[in-house]
Amino acid sequence: MSKPTIAIVGRPNVGKSTLFNRIVGGRMAIVEDKPGVTRDRLYGNGSWLTHEFHVIDTGGIELGDEPLLAQMRAQAEIAVDESDVILFLVDGRTGLTDADEAVAQLLRRSKKPVVLGVNKLDNFKQKELMYEFYSVGLGDPYAISCAHGQGIGDLLDAVIEKFPQSEPDSEEDGAIRFALIGRPNVGKSSLVNTILGKERVIVSDIAGTTRDAIDTPFTRDGQNFVIVDTAGIRRRGRVYEKTEKYSVLRAQRSIEESDVVLVLINGEEGIIEQDKKIAGYAHDAGRAIVIVVNKWDAVEKDGKTMDKFKRKIREQFQFIDYAPIVFLSALTGSRVDQILPVIEQVAENHSLRVQTSLLNDCIMDTLAMTPPPSDKGKRLKIYYGTQVAVRPPVFVLFVNDPELLHFSYVRHIENRLRETFGFIGTPIKLLSRKKNEK
């Protein structure tokens, strides 16, 4: 299951970005004592007790000359669509305003769980100011001070209580879940339709036409799959066209629920920086990856075009050099039949467990052929290794001193593991632990 999402909503200068920074544990949002200083929509990852979640700071929605109330309404609408729980923040010193009332009315109608935080109540005497906010009809208000960190724990306790209960998808046992991610208009929806053989989602040349993320189970040659189209912006309209960055959060959530991620690149336009960022989300999440170059039918080609494009991908995507590359055209169907076999292969590698004896044979051979370099007269000793996890495969090396295990030698061992066992399409992780010598 994907992590739940909290959206922080409130009028300018009530402390949304400060609260966001408190929750995610870093200064990711610009904070200044001026209304509207947050210039971008931000999302981050937070945790409280045993729960992990996404957090959205909605403060940066810019609608040109739109009045404040219209902008706040837009923020609240997006928060309603994107979140599992809404954290409505108000200013206790200023008191209840008409803008607060308007947003509260929208949140009540949404039926989404809402937790009300009354900020800037820095001392005990000021806490009586929160009682005014009972009138908005969103349950008990929580007196907090984002600047000083007071009351944040109680606020998060209330938020966690409203998280949806995750339920296992028993009907999808044995199914390979794969998500399609990529920037707008790379052809995600067209590829979904071509794989499924039917018009499942809206396809248009206009970027951002897909309005919802759609999970579709299907079976091919006895193997169950679930395909996820992550392009979705849920509603039509000017507000949503200006908030495409929320599609990044959508992609993250779909990645978390997937075994395999298809990173789509527009072959006609080539590689841009955003493609690498999007691929990085899948790599960081430890998912199996296939790079898909779509719209290959529209590319003028000679006998060397594909090889040149492959080399460019390997240069630009060095951090996922393990990912296979598939060239296809969702529009014409050319080479689309290659996708599912590749997905099955990388999903199998993602779950591959190596026998301990074979693993250690590979490690010892590596040490014999290329001994680790010494550092200030000390030499690394690797006693043995063991696999501790799959999806992705994780290995622990027991050594005399973890500080002597340089990242370059870790990379060398990883390459040898890949040469020996394959691991095509999946990241692998190598950890080190000190073994006490007797």
Side-chain angles (χ1 to χ4, degrees), residues 82-100:
E82 302 296 337
S83 64
D84 297 296
V85 180
I86 299 166
L87 222 170
F88 181 30
L89 199 63
V90 294
D91 186 334
R93 294 182 192 171
T94 303
L96 188 62
T97 67
D98 291 341
D100 294 329

Side-chain angles (χ1 to χ4, degrees), residues 64-270:
D65 297 328
E66 293 284 346
L68 175 63
L69 194 57
Q71 293 192 39
M72 287 190 61
R73 186 176 292 112
Q75 291 178 17
E77 288 175 352
I78 290 170
V80 165
D81 274 357
E82 302 296 337
S83 64
D84 297 296
V85 180
I86 299 166
L87 222 170
F88 181 30
L89 199 63
V90 294
D91 186 334
R93 294 182 192 171
T94 303
L96 188 62
T97 67
D98 291 341
D100 294 329
E101 290 270 20
V103 174
Q105 184 178 6
L106 189 150
L107 297 181
R108 285 196 303 271
R109 289 200 305 267
S110 75
K111 307 299 183 185
K112 279 285 182 79
V114 180
V115 176
L116 176 60
V118 185
N119 191 26
K120 304 186 183 181
L121 303 183
D122 301 333
N123 58 60
F124 182 78
K125 292 181 179 178
Q126 291 179 320
K127 288 188 177 180
E128 63 184 23
L129 298 175
M130 75 175 180
Y131 296 120
E132 175 185 11
F133 293 92
Y134 273 101
S135 64
V136 300
L138 291 171
D140 294 334
Y142 289 82
I144 63 172
S145 171
C146 297
H148 297 96
Q150 297 172 0
I152 305 298
D154 291 339
L155 186 74
L156 290 177
D157 285 343
V159 169
I160 287 170
E161 287 181 3
K162 295 182 182 295
F163 280 168
Q165 297 297 314
S166 59
E167 297 180 2
D169 297 320
S170 57
E171 74 275 11
E172 292 177 10
D173 286 349
I176 300 173
R177 290 183 62 90
F178 65 97
L180 289 74
I181 64 173
R183 53 192 169 92
N185 207 27
V186 293
K188 295 185 289 294
S189 299
S190 295
L191 185 54
V192 169
N193 291 336
T194 304
I195 291 173
L196 295 175
K198 56 185 176 182
E199 291 293 317
R200 182 66 180 84
V201 291
I202 301 168
V203 177
S204 167
D205 289 335
I206 302 170
T209 342
T210 306
R211 302 295 164 178
D212 207 351
I214 303 165
D215 287 16
T216 306
F218 67 100
T219 301
R220 193 70 49 84
D221 296 329
Q223 173 63 53
N224 295 326
F225 297 90
V226 177
I227 190 170
V228 181
D229 177 23
T230 61
I233 302 286
R234 294 189 183 180
R235 297 189 183 190
R236 297 182 181 274
R238 189 162 48 87
V239 171
Y240 282 78
E241 300 305 331
K242 292 193 175 186
T243 56
E244 264 183 5
K245 289 194 178 181
Y246 277 114
S247 65
V248 171
L249 178 65
R250 290 262 178 90
Q252 280 195 323
R253 297 180 75 171
S254 296
I255 286 167
E256 289 165 8
E257 294 181 333
S258 302
D259 303 301
V260 180
V261 174
L262 307 187
V263 178
L264 267 67
I265 299 171
N266 187 329
E268 192 175 13
E269 296 179 1

Side-chain angles (χ1 to χ4, degrees), residues 338-410:
Q338 297 178 11
I339 279 290
L340 293 182
V342 173
I343 289 172
E344 287 189 72
Q345 179 190 24
V346 300
E348 183 179 349
N349 291 333
H350 198 226
S351 300
L352 180 62
R353 189 174 291 276
V354 177
Q355 189 176 337
T356 302
S357 59
L358 297 178
L359 171 65
N360 282 286
D361 286 346
C362 178
I363 292 171
M364 294 306 127
D365 288 346
T366 303
L367 291 171
M369 293 176 63
T370 311
S374 59
D375 183 8
K376 297 178 182 178
K378 294 183 179 180
R379 187 175 294 276
L380 172 73
K381 294 180 181 179
I382 301 178
Y383 299 105
Y384 63 92
T386 185
Q387 185 172 358
V388 296
V390 294
R391 302 178 64 193
V394 180
F395 302 92
V396 174
L397 303 177
F398 289 88
V399 302
N400 59 331
D401 185 351
E403 292 186 4
L404 296 176
L405 185 57
H406 194 266
F407 74 88
S408 60
Y409 201 73
V410 170

